[in-house]
Amino acid sequence: MKAFLLALAFAVTSHAANIVIMVVEDPNNYEAPRTMRDFADKQLRPIGHQVTIIDGDKPQPHHFAGLVEALKDADLLVLFSRRRFPPKDQMAAIRAHLAAGKPLLGIRTANHAFIPKPKEVVDPSLVPWPEFTDEVLGAPNTGYETKGLPYTVSIAPGAENSPLLAGVNAANILGAQSLYKVLPLAADVTPLLIGTAKTDTSPPMPVAWTRTYGAKKARIFYTSLGAPEDMQIADVRTLLVNAVKWTLNPEAR
C-alpha cells in the first residue's frame, strides 16, 4: 500500500513539459532515432508532453541543428548520443541547461556521449566533454561485458519502494546486449537497478541510478538500458516514463 500511495502521489505531482531529445544515427547507437521517436509517440506525447527530437550529424557531423533554440525553453534534456562533439554554441547550450538546474535523462550511450575515441583528432571548432560522464552522470565509462548475456536485472538494495520503480518488474528485464561497466559510482549516486551477467567475468553493475549535478542540483537519471531489445520491454518503458516524472518533479524523493 505504501508503494502504491507513493506512486500515486508521484503521478499526480508530475506535469506536462517541454522535452528535448538528442539522438544520432550511428551503427553503434542502438537505433536511437527510431526508438526515441516511438517512445515519444507512444509514451510521452499521449500524457501531454511536448517533445522535440534533435537529430545529430545534420547538416554535418557532430552538429545538432536546432538544439540551441530548442534548449531555451526545454524543461528536460534526454541524451541518447554517442561520441559526438557539438560546436561551441551547442555545447554551451547544454552546459547552460544544466547550470540552470534543469534536469537530464541519459540513456545508454550517454555515458560516452562526448568522449573522443583514443587518439582521435577532434576538429578545433568542436567541443568534446570527456569529463561529462564522471562529472554529470556520476560514473566512469570503463568498458562492457558481453560474455554473460543475457544479463539479469534486480532491484538495488534500498530502492524497493522508490517511485521510480513503480510498475517495474525487474525480473522481466533481460539485457540482450552488453552490460556496461560503470564502477565505481560517485558517492552521491542512488542506484536503482543492478545487472548481473551470467558469468563470473564481471561483478554486478548498476544499470539505472539517480543523482544531482551542480550548484542548482539539476536532477540526473541515467540507465545503460536502451538497446532496441530493451525498448521492447514494457518495464523498461515504464522505468523511463517514471524517470521523466522524477526529473521534472523536484519534490519527488
Side-chain angles (χ1 to χ4, degrees):
M1 177 60 72
K2 181 180 178 182
F4 171 78
L5 292 174
L6 282 171
L8 180 60
F10 190 48
V12 169
T13 55
S14 64
H15 63 279
N18 184 0
I19 300 172
V20 173
I21 304 179
M22 286 178 65
V23 294
V24 68
E25 188 70 55
D26 180 313
N28 295 310
N29 204 47
Y30 303 96
E31 302 179 36
R34 178 185 66 80
T35 61
M36 288 298 98
R37 283 187 171 83
D38 188 66
F39 180 65
D41 287 342
K42 294 179 179 177
Q43 271 76 42
L44 299 181
R45 292 187 176 110
I47 58 176
H49 296 306
Q50 178 179 325
V51 183
T52 302
I53 297 179
I54 303 292
D55 284 286
D57 294 351
K58 298 177 181 179
Q60 62 193 90
H62 300 284
H63 286 238
F64 291 80
L67 180 65
V68 174
E69 190 63 30
L71 283 180
K72 288 179 181 178
D73 299 318
D75 298 301
L76 168 64
L77 173 60
V78 177
L79 179 62
F80 195 168
S81 180
R82 175 185 181 275
R83 299 195 192 279
R84 295 303 192 271
F85 325 117
K88 294 177 182 179
D89 62 331
Q90 294 172 19
M91 184 61 84
I94 296 169
R95 286 181 174 271
H97 174 90
L98 291 165
K102 293 184 178 182
L104 179 139
L105 191 162
I107 300 176
R108 198 151 174 87
T109 53
N111 90 334
H112 46 292
F114 309 124
I115 300 176
K117 295 178 182 178
K119 299 182 180 180
E120 181 177 3
V121 177
V122 178
D123 185 317
S125 69
L126 304 176
V127 185
W129 188 3
E131 302 84 7
F132 169 87
T133 304
D134 288 277
E135 290 181 0
V136 178
L137 300 184
N141 167 21
T142 57
Y144 45 83
E145 157 68 60
T146 59
K147 296 179 181 179
L149 301 179
Y151 62 84
T152 58
V153 175
S154 58
I155 297 175
E160 294 83 2
N161 294 320
S162 171
L164 280 149
L165 299 180
V168 176
N169 184 348
N172 290 336
I173 303 174
L174 290 176
Q177 301 208 31
S178 58
L179 176 62
Y180 282 8
K181 296 181 179 181
V182 295
L183 296 177
L185 299 178
D188 63 345
V189 163
T190 300
L192 297 168
L193 294 174
I194 305 294
T196 302
K198 290 187 175 182
T199 68
D200 293 328
T201 60
S202 178
M205 290 286 162
V207 296
W209 64 79
T210 62
R211 76 183 302 234
T212 61
Y213 167 75
K216 294 192 176 180
K217 304 292 184 182
R219 288 198 156 205
I220 308 296
F221 172 91
Y222 173 78
T223 180
S224 59
L225 297 166
E229 298 90 342
D230 301 335
M231 293 302 298
Q232 293 177 18
I233 301 171
D235 297 85
V236 173
R237 288 177 173 251
T238 298
L239 173 69
L240 291 174
V241 171
N242 290 347
V244 168
K245 293 176 181 177
W246 180 86
T247 58
L248 292 170
N249 179 11
E251 301 304 318
R253 66 179 183 84

